[in-house]
Amino acid sequence: MERNNKRFRKREAILTCLRETKVHPSADWVYAQLKPKIPDLSLGTVYRNLALFKEQGLIISVGTVKGVERFDGNPDFHVHFICTECGCVQDLDWMPDLPGLTATAEKDSGSQISGCQLTFTGMCRECSQNQNKEEAV
């Protein structure tokens, strides 16, 4: 019983960590945040639980950014921006839900759409400003 209770506490800590951050972390980031508080936590446990949470629809994968999968604790529809320079991932909360887009996709494909992820890529404001400073020199 103690073993199951420990497993549940680790699982809950991993999910809470994801839901309490806006950085769209990697598994390594989650592990680094929790390891000091949970000394017997393994990176494998983090990966297994992230896969379980994705399968259950509790979190989403934002995608692979610079070779590392990144996660979001908010599984509800929202739009992301990923900087191709620094790799930051940002929520674009001001973007409207696009029900017309889903309806069009269903009509055109003849399929029943159950989800959508919309991601913009480009250079974030900070990287763009840094590039402009470098070009001015």
Side-chain angles (χ1 to χ4, degrees), residues 18 21-25 59-65 70-84 87-96 98 116-122 124:
L18 277 167
T21 185
K22 288 284 193 182
V23 300
H24 302 87
I59 66 170
I60 60 172
S61 172
V62 176
T64 303
V65 180
R70 304 277 290 274
F71 300 92
D72 192 337
N74 176 7
D76 297 331
F77 176 81
H78 61 285
V79 179
H80 290 107
F81 171 82
I82 300 174
C83 179
T84 54
C88 74
V89 180
Q90 302 169 355
D91 290 331
L92 300 181
D93 295 323
W94 53 268
M95 291 289 294
L98 305 172
C116 172
Q117 286 192 23
L118 181 58
T119 303
F120 291 94
T121 58
C124 70

Side-chain angles (χ1 to χ4, degrees), residues 42-60:
S42 72
L43 186 55
T45 296
V46 174
Y47 274 107
R48 282 190 298 279
N49 280 285
L50 291 174
L52 175 68
F53 297 150
K54 266 188 354 184
E55 185 178 302
Q56 294 174 336
L58 298 174
I59 66 170
I60 60 172

Side-chain angles (χ1 to χ4, degrees), residues 15-36:
L15 186 58
T16 298
C17 182
L18 277 167
R19 290 190 169 158
E20 289 180 349
T21 185
K22 288 284 193 182
V23 300
H24 302 87
S26 66
D28 289 334
W29 186 93
V30 172
Y31 174 75
Q33 297 300 304
L34 295 177
K35 183 68 174 173

Side-chain angles (χ1 to χ4, degrees), residues 77-136:
F77 176 81
H78 61 285
V79 179
H80 290 107
F81 171 82
I82 300 174
C83 179
T84 54
E85 293 295 311
C86 70
C88 74
V89 180
Q90 302 169 355
D91 290 331
L92 300 181
D93 295 323
W94 53 268
M95 291 289 294
D97 191 351
L98 305 172
L101 182 61
T102 300
T104 301
E106 285 184 333
K107 181 181 173 199
D108 288 350
S109 68
S111 303
Q112 185 176 2
I113 307 294
S114 62
C116 172
Q117 286 192 23
L118 181 58
T119 303
F120 291 94
T121 58
M123 195 181 305
C124 70
R125 180 178 299 141
E126 188 173 314
C127 288
S128 182
Q129 288 172 346
N130 288 340
Q131 184 181 40
N132 289 340
K133 286 179 188 174
E134 289 173 7
E135 289 173 355

